[in-house]
Amino acid sequence: INAEYGEDQASGRNDLLVGGRKVSGSAYKQNQQRAFHHGTLLVDVDGAVMQQVLNPSKAKLLSKGVASVQQRVLNMRSEYPHVDHDVLCDAIMTEFFESYRSGPVTVESLTVDSLRQESKLQAYYSKLAEWNWRFGNNPDFEHHFETRFDWACMDVHVTVQRSLIRDARVYSDTLRPALPELLAAALHGVRYDRDGIELAIRRTAELLREGCATDYLAHTAPDFVRIDGIIEGKTLEQCAQHVEPEDLSALRDVRKWLQDHL
């Protein structure tokens, strides 16, 4: 960057600045066996989207003397229109060759197809992709959802342990009293993610289809192994056959609300 623009500088442990604005950040981790480095370069990004997904504390922004994320960072292409991914890659490779005095070498391009041929890498990737590895050790917490629909208020409290909903309480002033009771039961044991909410909503639809009432739950715990077998592979609409249209509409509303607020 310095060779190209002559105005870059390092900032702290992990930032690169151009003209006093951040264009790169890095993260590091090292243990006895491996060293990991993750870096970014802001070449051509959508500033509005970046503002939505990056939410640093106001105190951190004030410590940098800026009022927003967009004010602190530089979208390089906005200042240097000729810069794109290929130009930046070529500049990085040229600097690498000169810094290590290696002279030009053949550059190997790693593609998805070529990486799939590396058995050890694929085994490691499969491990890191497992849901239990990514979420299974998350801290325990509670989440309170509350909203009002046209048809009723809904108040949902969940206790989450190792990313599974272990307890749920649902309160509502709906005129369809079975819905909150059955939803609370259906939430128990599902994953705290969009797929888990989808499963709980389809479970609720099946309980409604079977005509389960609130007094049913007081005496009999639902057999979700059986129910999950019945609804496997089915959409909500398929699960809700013979369910009152008002109940199906309510389930759609609740599904979208919970999934959007995880």
Side-chain angles (χ1 to χ4, degrees):
I1 294 175
N2 188 51
E4 185 74 17
Y5 311 113
E7 53 180 353
D8 77 304
Q9 66 181 95
S11 175
R13 294 182 301 171
N14 49 14
D15 292 352
L16 293 178
L17 310 182
V18 171
R21 297 168 68 188
K22 182 176 177 178
V23 298
S24 175
S26 296
Y28 311 85
K29 180 177 176 60
Q30 184 173 356
N31 59 27
Q32 293 180 348
Q33 296 178 318
R34 298 179 179 87
F36 300 90
H37 173 220
H38 162 76
T40 60
L41 282 169
L42 290 176
V43 180
D44 188 10
V45 299
D46 186 325
V49 173
M50 182 174 61
Q51 183 72 41
Q52 292 175 355
V53 299
L54 297 180
N55 295 295
S57 68
K58 291 182 179 180
K60 182 174 182 179
L61 289 173
L62 290 174
S63 72
K64 306 296 182 181
V66 297
S68 69
V69 171
Q70 290 192 58
Q71 187 178 347
R72 187 187 175 216
V73 303
L74 172 66
N75 197 13
M76 293 183 67
R77 196 158 191 181
S78 66
E79 297 290 331
Y80 311 101
H82 70 287
V83 172
D84 59 18
H85 180 266
D86 291 336
V87 168
L88 200 57
C89 288
D90 288 342
I92 291 173
M93 287 188 291
T94 298
E95 182 63 26
F96 181 90
F97 298 150
E98 292 179 358
S99 295
Y100 292 94
R101 299 180 176 84
S102 62
V105 297
T106 301
V107 177
E108 179 184 1
S109 296
L110 299 178
T111 65
V112 174
D113 288 338
S114 66
L115 293 175
R116 283 175 178 157
Q117 307 305 313
E118 302 293 334
S119 59
K120 290 185 178 180
L121 179 62
Q122 284 303 300
Y124 192 55
Y125 175 84
S126 296
K127 176 184 177 181
L128 299 186
E130 292 175 356
W131 188 88
N132 284 335
W133 190 92
R134 292 184 294 153
F135 305 111
N137 292 315
N138 282 351
D140 298 347
F141 64 94
E142 295 183 353
H143 192 170
H144 175 207
F145 307 82
E146 186 176 8
T147 194
R148 177 170 180 80
F149 299 106
D150 292 339
W151 44 271
C153 292
M154 291 290 288
D155 190 359
V156 178
H157 300 253
V158 296
T159 299
V160 181
Q161 298 174 352
R162 299 176 71 87
S163 295
L164 296 176
I165 296 176
R166 293 303 187 186
D167 184 47
R169 290 165 289 149
V170 181
Y171 307 101
S172 176
D173 59 359
T174 177
L175 298 177
R176 315 186 75 81
L179 178 61
E181 295 272 359
L182 299 179
L183 175 61
L187 283 166
H188 186 84
V190 303
R191 293 176 177 178
Y192 181 81
D193 60 14
R194 295 180 66 87
D195 290 340
I197 297 300
E198 175 69 28
L199 174 58
I201 294 296
R202 289 188 291 122
R203 283 177 169 182
T204 306
E206 175 60 23
L207 290 171
L208 288 168
R209 188 192 69 79
E210 294 181 3
C212 297
T214 54
D215 57 352
Y216 164 85
L217 297 178
H219 301 91
T220 307
D223 181 359
F224 285 122
V225 173
R226 177 187 67 82
I227 291 173
D228 291 350
I230 293 173
I231 65 177
E232 184 177 5
K234 293 182 179 180
T235 65
L236 171 59
E237 287 67 28
Q238 291 170 327
C239 295
Q241 289 182 1
H242 311 300
V243 167
E244 293 290 337
E246 293 83 359
D247 284 332
L248 175 56
S249 178
L251 287 173
R252 287 173 176 150
D253 288 344
V254 173
R255 175 178 63 183
K256 184 178 188 306
W257 167 55
L258 292 178
Q259 288 181 334
D260 287 350
H261 290 83
L262 288 176

